[in-house]
Amino acid sequence: MASRRDLANAIRALSMDAVQQANSGHPGAPMGMADIAEVLWNDYLSHNPTDPTWANRDRFVLSNGHGSMLLYSLLHLSGYDLPIAEIKNFRQLHSKTPGHPEYGYAPGVETTTGPLGQGISNAVGMALAEKVLAGQFNRSGHDIVDHQTYTFLGDGCLMEGISHEVCSLAGTLKLGKLTAFYDDNGISIDGEVEGWFSDDTPQRFESYGWHVIANVDGHDSAAIKAAIDAAHAETDKPTLICCKTIIGFGSPNKQGKEDCHGAALGVDEVALTRAELGWEHAPFDIPADHYAGWNAVDKGQAAQAAWNERLVAYRAAHPQLAAEFERRISGDLPADFSAQADAYIQQCQDDMEKVASRKASQNCLNAYGPLLPELLGGSADLAGSNLTLWSGSRDISGDNADGNYIYYGVREFGMSAMMNGIALHGGFINYGATFLMFMEYARNAVRMAALMKQQSIFVYTHDSIGLGEDGPTHQPVEQLSALRSTPNLHTWRPCDTVESAVCWKSAIERRDGPAALVFSRQGLTPMPRSKKQVAAIARGGYVLHDCDAPQAILIATGSEVELAMQAAEQLVDKGILVRVVSMPCAEIFAEQDADYRDSVLLPSVRARVAVEALHADYWYKFVGLDGRVIGMRSFGESAPGGELMKEFGFTVDNVIANVLDVVG
């Protein structure tokens, strides 16, 4: 029977061999954390390699994602469908073992990590999801939701500001089933971190309200095991286990140095390391007794079978709750959601209410919320401005998990990354809000949601210079361009209550990516529409106002749709016939077939003007170089919103002048 150190050395061997073969990668972290991983995965982690999506599995997140070979080694050794051929194919095109862990490539990878700090943030979101789901569904004698979240992280994760945001909140929310292992090796890419990272990390986490276990020898299996037992004994606080490790453990000439952080050890050093570790096997050759020591299939299947029996008992005791739990875990919407949402959309059209679209968004939450018990919302300290609270909102706190609303505090980046963790966990449709301007703090988490195809709904209000007196620091200009240029992200900017209701429905029904819903502070005039036009909103762009033989096309979004409609009406008096196209989601419009796109933006009409009180450049893809764009080419100013609209040319007269110019 292989010893613990032998089992850990299998990780070290696979990691250094794969990195060496690729001549690219990070062997240091996997070799340094191998002993910790061996204890956690063999003695504690509840998972089933034959069913990586088992709902009650423990979650494991490698926040220091550059050490990806640690995770790939663990998945391969413990019995996941990740054969040795994929280990040999590390960092190669179309392999299941990319340079950083990518969600959806290898089974068992819970999230995409690499941008440091986001893995721990995802883990906090997963732990919160577990706590809330347990609060909503567990009943006396039936703990149907009961699993741990574990994460590995390094100095880099702790230096990133996002770690402060999420770890502070994790302590406040008393996420007692979250355990983080800090790889305290004192080394980063530039060398010894004491020159730029001298924080007292244990005290820092104690101040957050964490249970901290300091000075654990990360190469002593007994010490690691004792630390994990102590972590599990503390159920009211998350735990940080500070593990003293040697980066590149086993490499005679490079361990403990930055040399092994982000580069292959080299052929000669790999041979010396084999000798140092007593590893007498050829590259990628793992002995049968090592595989046997690692194999988690039987144990995992038994754990899932035991949980399935608990689920049967739960169904018998609480049939309605069980049915709802299984629906939510499967990701299915209530059967009547679509029909009821369509009825609400038509009601909005019939009511023709003039409100700010942020208020329209809140109205949508009040309409859709009662239909969706899985709806989990929040805001980054702007609930009263974002209007994200609805009549059924119930606060989540450290002492109350049976809620559906999270007060994230001023933590836009942390909120967004936690949302991704919640989405990855499953059982919820979650949204989080801030001002559009402050998506800048969160942009990388938004990108990660799109990259992982996760259903995070990002709600952004105060959508343009129209918010007024707060000035250019709060007035978004270039932010929509950034959102629209992000692959797999649907960015909506609705013009009234009806388009707001449609964009919420679209975001809720979409299962393969995130949405950004962008809403106004100022009131928006409702637009008249036929039922056919209402149905067309979901296609991203549609003809809102038409005429026979249009000479020009006006394209607008949000608050500027009204401006375009007013200009079209007045242009008739000047003998110019204009079609008005509302385009609340340009990405969805671009996904439509060519016939539909051409039916909206007539190829024969080259005289086109786009109007949007944000950055101008995006719209040239629709108007062409011979068209005109009325947009922002500078930052805003501090003044009442109406005055700013005049100052920057968002007036009927200017729209008319541009149409006349382009018509010629």
Side-chain angles (χ1 to χ4, degrees), residues 305-531:
W307 182 79
N308 286 338
E309 290 179 4
R310 289 157 54 192
L311 183 59
V312 170
Y314 184 67
R315 288 194 195 107
H318 305 282
Q320 290 183 323
L321 270 177
E324 181 69 4
F325 173 76
E326 291 179 271
R327 178 188 71 78
R328 286 174 55 174
I329 290 300
S330 69
D332 296 330
L333 289 171
D336 60 346
F337 173 76
S338 183
Q340 294 207 47
D342 286 342
Y344 175 70
I345 291 166
Q346 187 57 50
Q347 179 189 325
C348 290
Q349 185 63 64
D350 295 340
D351 291 346
M352 295 283 285
E353 186 179 10
K354 181 176 180 176
V355 295
S357 55
R358 62 171 175 163
K359 178 60 179 176
S361 170
Q362 186 181 49
N363 292 343
C364 291
L365 290 171
N366 278 307
Y368 298 155
L371 310 175
L372 298 169
E374 58 265 54
L375 201 63
L376 181 64
S379 172
D381 202 47
L382 287 168
S385 293
N386 298 145
L387 301 185
T388 44
L389 288 165
W390 60 285
S391 59
S393 293
R394 307 184 311 279
D395 300 352
I396 293 166
S397 68
D399 298 319
N400 177 40
D402 184 14
N404 61 8
Y405 193 86
I406 307 158
Y407 289 92
Y408 284 101
V410 188
R411 299 181 176 98
E412 296 89 356
F413 193 5
M415 172 185 73
S416 303
M418 284 177 61
M419 288 169 59
N420 293 341
I422 293 167
L424 287 158
H425 180 278
F428 297 98
I429 295 174
N430 77 131
Y431 65 92
T434 185
F435 289 174
L436 177 57
M437 184 66 245
F438 302 132
M439 63 75 61
E440 293 288 353
Y441 287 126
R443 185 183 296 190
N444 197 248
V446 177
R447 182 179 189 271
M448 295 294 281
L451 182 64
M452 294 190 286
K453 302 178 180 178
Q454 291 304 296
Q455 189 190 24
S456 294
I457 302 175
F458 302 103
V459 177
Y460 301 122
T461 68
H462 297 61
D463 69 342
S464 72
I465 61 169
L467 73 90
E469 290 88 344
D470 281 333
T473 62
H474 283 55
Q475 294 166 4
V477 171
E478 71 275 27
Q479 284 64 41
L480 270 192
S481 296
L483 291 169
R484 287 169 173 153
S485 64
T486 303
N488 198 43
L489 175 66
H490 288 172
T491 301
W492 289 83
R493 188 173 182 245
C495 76
D496 64 2
T497 59
V498 181
E499 289 190 356
S500 298
V502 172
C503 77
W504 264 110
K505 178 176 184 277
S506 175
I508 289 166
E509 292 184 335
R510 189 185 188 204
R511 311 303 290 181
D512 60 353
L517 312 184
V518 180
F519 299 115
S520 73
R521 179 191 186 188
Q522 69 272 31
L524 303 181
T525 299
M527 296 292 133
R529 298 178 185 85
S530 68
K531 288 187 176 181

Side-chain angles (χ1 to χ4, degrees), residues 163-180:
S163 71
H164 296 263
E165 295 182 26
V166 300
C167 292
S168 169
L169 188 55
T172 299
L173 295 175
K174 300 180 180 180
L175 301 182
K177 291 182 178 177
L178 171 65
T179 302

Side-chain angles (χ1 to χ4, degrees), residues 634-656:
S634 69
F635 296 115
E637 295 284 351
S638 178
E643 292 184 23
L644 291 175
M645 289 299 192
K646 295 177 184 176
E647 173 72 16
F648 289 100
F650 299 99
T651 64
V652 173
D653 287 345
N654 193 39
V655 174
I656 290 172

